[in-house]
Amino acid sequence: MYGVRLDGLGKSIPNLDITNEYLATMVETSDEWIQTRTGIKSRRIAVEESTTSLAINAAKQALENSGLEPKDIELVIVATVSPDMAMPSTACVVAENLQIENAICFDLTAACSGFIYASEVATSFIKLGNYKNALVIGAEVLSKMVDWQDRGTCILFADGAGAAIYKRSDENNIIGFSNKSDGKGSQLIRLANIPHSNSFSKAEEVERHIQMDGQAVYKFATTAVPKNIIELLEKENYRLEDVDWFVLHQANARIIDSVAKRLKVSLDKFFMNVSEYGNTSAASIPIALYDAKHLFKKGDKIILSGFGAGLTWGSMLLIWG
Ligand code: COA
């Protein structure tokens, strides 16, 4: 088995900044309500940008920061639930734009756990020796998937992309994963925005926007995530006290606060940028990692955790450096 390290991060966000105050002119809500329930103050919304252009920009930056050349990348995975096209995959278009010619490329759908799932796939392939270097991207334009009249969802979701490079290495810094799914919760967050008829069947009425049972999702996240983190640490023989930083999916500051309380860990160890960017699904963890990287020291143990539609959830333990 080979070692793997994370080396090279990138981030790309749309230019348009939409504040809570602005949203309050569109739906019946208020800055105070949104901040109290979610911790979100503003979010970036794609106008000129697309899922593909955000993914390309984040990937370009990650590649530059990794010191690798496009020819060195042998695997490209884009985690997304909001691709611009069903085919080709976003990953193939990213590769074309960055002149990555020696890689297999595909998209992966695991909603807000997408970056952690894709990281397990990529790093497992590298450990097995199938590929040397992988580019993993989380990219979303969820603003095109929400109903802007639905105050229960339009205040939460937003757009952006983050990217990471995983390299084969003598030293192994990617300690382990605990990824989970439970289809019993499949109806709690849904997006059915694809054609549902053909010449031989009647066109069905399809809900084109994100549907969510907010309270059930809140309950799921605040119970599943702390349990999952503990399970991962036990599996890898680490203690909670060994962890220097927790970078959770940036869905909601209250969820992160509740996870910290359940784990009895100081909130100071939990990085948060949800106030600026809202919930960018698969993009939120690599964007948060990018924004938090100045805080990390070589040797820091970092837990990354994602959770969302599926239901899916999962954590990853890595050592910085
Ligand atoms: N502004 C003002 N009022 C709002 C509102 C908004 N944006 N959205 C909902 N409300 C209202 C509701 O209509 C309801 O009014 P009522 O009591 O008159 O019926 C009231 O506020 C309470 O609604 P509820 O849905 O119970 O609020 P909540 O405390 O559960 O907060 C969420 C809603 C969505 C913020 C919360 O459930 C949550 O964060 N869930 C997790 C969602 C998530 O993170 N999903 C992604 C996971 S990847």
Side-chain angles (χ1 to χ4, degrees):
M1 291 271 266
Y2 293 95
V4 189
R5 58 199 285 254
L6 189 159
D7 189 3
L9 288 165
K11 148 184 162 184
S12 179
I13 48 164
N15 290 325
L16 181 66
D17 194 1
I18 294 291
T19 60
N20 292 346
E21 285 86 356
Y22 189 85
L23 277 186
T25 67
M26 297 172 67
V27 287
E28 203 183 325
T29 190
S30 66
D31 176 45
E32 200 257 329
W33 195 97
I34 301 172
Q35 278 207 52
T36 315
R37 304 284 170 115
T38 71
I40 299 168
K41 293 184 186 164
S42 63
R43 73 283 292 140
R44 297 300 181 100
I45 300 298
V47 180
E48 302 289 322
E49 305 86 352
S50 65
T51 300
T52 310
S53 73
L54 292 166
I56 290 167
N57 289 338
K60 196 164 175 231
Q61 200 179 14
L63 195 59
E64 279 165 12
N65 290 336
S66 75
L68 294 179
E69 299 291 329
K71 66 175 170 38
D72 301 322
I73 302 295
E74 296 179 341
L75 173 63
V76 180
I77 308 178
V78 177
T80 183
V81 291
S82 52
D84 299 319
M85 289 170 289
M87 59 183 182
S89 67
T90 316
C92 279
V93 183
V94 169
E96 180 199 13
N97 273 271
L98 299 187
Q99 274 109 44
I100 294 173
E101 291 170 357
N102 303 323
I104 69 151
C105 310
F106 58 92
D107 291 359
L108 180 153
T109 299
C112 307
S113 314
F115 181 77
I116 306 293
Y117 272 44
S119 294
E120 180 166 28
V121 173
T123 58
S124 301
F125 274 142
I126 297 172
K127 285 186 182 183
L128 287 171
N130 299 32
Y131 309 106
K132 276 204 194 94
N133 304 302
L135 166 61
V136 173
I137 305 162
E140 305 283 10
V141 173
L142 295 172
S143 62
K144 294 186 181 153
M145 309 294 176
V146 293
D147 174 358
W148 286 93
Q149 304 300 314
D150 174 13
R151 64 181 182 171
T153 52
C154 75
I155 57 153
L156 300 172
F157 296 106
D159 309 335
I165 302 281
Y166 292 106
K167 291 180 178 171
R168 183 192 283 183
S169 144
D170 293 337
E171 198 184 336
N172 181 43
N173 287 359
I174 307 298
I175 304 305
F177 291 85
S178 173
N179 276 316
K180 307 272 181 188
S181 308
D182 181 2
K184 289 199 291 299
S186 62
Q187 298 307 302
L188 297 181
I189 314 180
R190 309 188 307 276
L191 173 61
N193 192 14
I194 50 170
H196 275 75
S197 66
N198 57 30
S199 299
F200 309 97
S201 66
K202 267 198 270 167
E204 278 173 41
E205 232 352 75
V206 172
E207 180 47 68
R208 297 183 60 81
H209 299 113
I210 294 176
Q211 305 289 305
M212 182 180 71
D213 179 340
Q215 285 188 4
V217 172
Y218 185 91
K219 211 176 283 172
F220 145 70
T222 52
T223 49
V225 175
K227 190 164 168 266
N228 182 245
I229 291 172
I230 300 283
E231 279 167 4
L232 171 61
L233 290 170
E234 281 175 359
K235 178 163 79 83
E236 302 300 341
N237 290 317
Y238 281 81
R239 297 164 308 160
L240 209 43
E241 309 82 86
D242 297 328
V243 181
D244 299 286
W245 292 100
F246 296 80
V247 180
L248 269 50
H249 166 46
Q250 303 288 303
N252 180 323
R254 273 202 309 150
I255 293 179
I256 298 175
D257 191 35
S258 167
V259 171
K261 284 202 177 85
R262 281 172 192 246
L263 290 174
K264 300 193 178 62
V265 171
S266 162
L267 194 58
D268 295 344
K269 286 191 173 187
F270 286 73
F271 179 77
M272 273 201 250
N273 62 3
V274 66
S275 65
E276 286 173 80
Y277 299 131
N279 180 344
T280 58
S281 190
S284 93
I285 293 175
I287 291 176
L289 265 182
Y290 183 93
D291 284 358
K293 65 185 183 330
H294 65 282
L295 300 167
F296 305 151
K297 297 186 307 295
K298 190 173 164 48
D300 276 359
K301 280 121 202 131
I302 305 170
I303 285 276
L304 311 182
S305 280
F307 51 88
L311 295 168
T312 60
W313 66 104
S315 301
M316 163 179 174
L317 174 63
L318 68 96
I319 298 177
W320 192 253

